[in-house]
Amino acid sequence: MKRANVYIVVAIAVVVWAALLQWQGVTLKPSYLKPYSWAVAAAVVVFEAFDRWLWRVGPVPRLMGRSLVRGTWQGEFDSTWVDPATGARLGPRPAYLVIGQTYWNITVRLLTSESQSRSLVGALSATRDQGATMQWTYMNEPRLRLQAGSRIHHGAVMLDVHGHPPGRLTGSYWTDRDTKGELTFERHSPRLHSDFAGAAADAAFSH
């Protein structure tokens, strides 16, 4: 939900309110609309505060059936990708999943020692009793020196969110270079890291 939706909802409410007053025989005066701008401003502030912070407070996420996955997750990925230089699969490798989350939106970055991927479109679907599922499409950009053997590519990911509050993320991914793999994340830090080295140095993962 975007800020524009708040303006639309408030505008519809005002129109309905005015129509009901007229239907009841109340004469409308221009002065009745003077508080309108204040009402819109208050609605926008409350909406922004809820979307960014308030929904994460205390038991609110669980009461609203919304999994709180925001932060950096430590785990690994296991890909079917074959190294063209050796002709061998590399096996499971460490990775960090950085999730930015508001009530309405999520953004995701996957950090490895060789590349970063950024979500293009993401969603978190959830129910009160059955956990949640994250889905997103992404673009992956390997480090420049590795792009000869591992080109920039696109893909999609689906992860199941386990626990209330979440304690584990598991799932799989597919790419447009005909590879796929599995992902598992089991340790969490509330910090949002921007690179692999910073995430690896986070003391929260050593506990």
Side-chain angles (χ1 to χ4, degrees):
M1 187 173 183
K2 299 180 180 180
R3 183 180 298 185
N5 297 91
V6 178
Y7 291 104
I8 293 171
V9 170
V10 173
I12 292 173
V14 169
V15 171
V16 172
W17 168 75
L20 289 173
L21 286 180
Q22 283 194 317
W23 179 69
Q24 294 175 352
V26 178
T27 302
L28 297 178
K29 299 179 181 179
S31 60
Y32 290 173
L33 291 177
K34 286 184 178 179
Y36 175 74
S37 60
W38 289 98
V40 171
V44 169
V45 169
V46 171
F47 167 78
E48 291 285 352
F50 175 81
D51 186 43
R52 292 178 180 272
W53 304 291
L54 297 181
W55 76 273
R56 298 194 262 129
V57 176
V60 176
R62 180 155 189 169
L63 291 173
M64 301 198 69
R66 201 71 167 173
S67 293
L68 178 55
V69 293
R70 185 179 186 275
T72 300
W73 292 78
Q74 182 190 57
E76 64 180 26
F77 73 103
D78 190 6
S79 174
T80 62
W81 180 78
V82 175
D83 187 338
T86 63
R89 288 181 56 201
L90 300 181
R93 285 172 286 171
Y96 294 91
L97 194 68
V98 184
I99 304 173
Q101 183 184 18
T102 68
Y103 185 79
W104 299 106
N105 299 295
I106 62 167
T107 58
V108 186
R109 284 182 293 130
L110 181 69
L111 310 175
T112 74
S113 60
E114 298 179 342
S115 68
Q116 291 193 27
S117 68
R118 299 177 182 272
S119 61
L120 303 175
V121 178
L124 176 67
S125 59
T127 64
R128 291 179 183 272
D129 302 320
Q130 299 178 1
T133 302
M134 294 174 56
Q135 311 96 15
W136 68 94
T137 59
Y138 68 86
M139 182 182 75
N140 178 277
E141 185 174 1
R143 294 170 63 180
L144 185 61
R145 65 180 178 82
L146 301 175
Q147 289 184 14
S150 179
R151 63 180 173 84
I152 296 174
H153 61 277
H154 297 79
V157 181
M158 179 176 290
L159 291 183
D160 290 325
V161 181
H162 305 281
H164 296 284
R168 189 164 178 257
L169 311 176
T170 61
S172 53
Y173 71 92
W174 308 262
T175 78
D176 62 1
R177 58 181 185 179
D178 297 324
T179 58
K180 56 187 176 181
E182 296 182 344
L183 299 156
T184 302
F185 300 93
E186 297 183 316
R187 309 184 83 173
H188 175 261
S189 168
R191 299 180 183 88
L192 298 175
H193 291 285
S194 60
D195 61 11
F196 183 87
D202 191 334
F205 296 125
S206 63
H207 299 300

